[in-house]
Amino acid sequence: MMTILGRAMGDRVDWQSGRMDGAGVQRSVKTVGELAGVFADEAARSGMDAARVVYAVEWTEPVAAGTEGGLFWGATRLEAGCVGDEYFMTRGHFHAVRDRGEFYGTVSGEGMLVLMEEDGATRVERMVPGSLHYIPGRVAHRTVNTGAEAMVFWACWPSDAGHDYAAIAARGFGLRVMRGDGSPRVVEA
Ligand code: PAN
Ligand code: ZN
């Protein structure tokens, strides 16, 4: 007896590179020039090549953004580098619908996931190939590449989560991850 399998959605993933392929795939790139105010050393940032890519995200939205009960899927490729002494990182956000959680799973590179509660309490988790991270609702999240290679991780988040960047622009995270002597330094912001 033969089982006829259902057809998967048309999108494809390349696990290692984090690249996706397919009609539904969206892509967003953030350059040094687009990250004003994110890093502690704004003078260092504005002196860098504004076109240099810090990170790129590819993802698929199988249902419309805002749909309750759906999921989005995608990968972030965060390049290696520093702004002054601070490692390249994502802007970070709370989900606009605050109680929505998320999974991250690292495939390559090394870094840190910075997690901040609504009261500002901040902690970090090490990201290494194979590390799986559950980000609970109401927790802001940012990733930092502390290695010499690009860091790639996959993510799955609710389609109605949305992204609140304004809350982070206003107050930042409680910790910053800086280049240290031999190993990264996690310092109070
Ligand atoms: C991720 C992030 C991605 C880029 O897909 O959106 O890593 O980071 P910023 O959105 O903070 O610029 C995610 O957490 N989605 O919810
Ligand atoms: Zn998120």
Side-chain angles (χ1 to χ4, degrees):
M1 252 248 275
M2 201 170 87
T3 305
I4 308 294
L5 296 172
R7 194 175 162 280
M9 59 190 293
D11 301 331
R12 307 265 317 160
V13 300
D14 181 64
W15 294 110
Q16 274 311 119
S17 68
R19 294 303 303 260
M20 295 184 68
D21 214 4
V25 173
Q26 305 194 41
R27 181 171 166 84
S28 135
V29 175
K30 285 280 169 263
T31 61
V32 165
E34 293 168 313
L35 295 173
V38 171
F39 296 91
D41 191 341
E42 182 55 25
R45 189 202 62 83
S46 58
M48 292 170 69
D49 174 7
R52 185 168 163 189
V53 172
V54 178
Y55 60 97
V57 187
E58 293 193 359
W59 76 99
T60 184
E61 301 190 352
V63 294
T67 303
E68 196 180 322
L71 296 170
F72 291 165
W73 172 265
T76 301
R77 176 189 167 94
L78 177 54
E79 301 297 335
C82 278
V83 175
D85 278 336
E86 190 170 19
Y87 290 109
F88 275 8
M89 60 187 180
T90 58
R91 285 173 296 173
H93 56 267
F94 285 100
H95 287 152
V97 179
R98 278 291 190 279
D99 67 358
R100 300 306 195 247
E102 184 161 4
F103 269 116
Y104 280 2
T106 317
V107 295
S108 66
E110 55 183 295
M112 289 188 196
L113 171 59
V114 185
L115 298 168
M116 181 172 74
E117 307 284 339
E118 285 177 302
D119 67 2
T122 306
R123 62 186 188 277
V124 298
E125 293 180 2
R126 283 286 289 152
M127 295 178 78
V128 293
S131 65
L132 182 64
H133 306 269
Y134 176 65
I135 301 162
R138 305 189 182 283
V139 174
H141 38 288
R142 158 182 284 170
T143 52
V144 183
N145 183 347
T146 61
E149 310 293 332
M151 182 170 80
V152 175
F153 61 93
W154 289 95
C156 185
W157 66 101
S159 44
D160 64 348
H163 296 102
D164 176 3
Y165 296 104
I168 298 303
R171 67 191 226 204
F173 282 71
L175 298 170
R176 288 186 180 274
V177 185
M178 315 295 289
R179 183 162 50 189
D181 244 350
S183 60
R185 283 182 303 133
V186 179
V187 302
E188 295 210 355

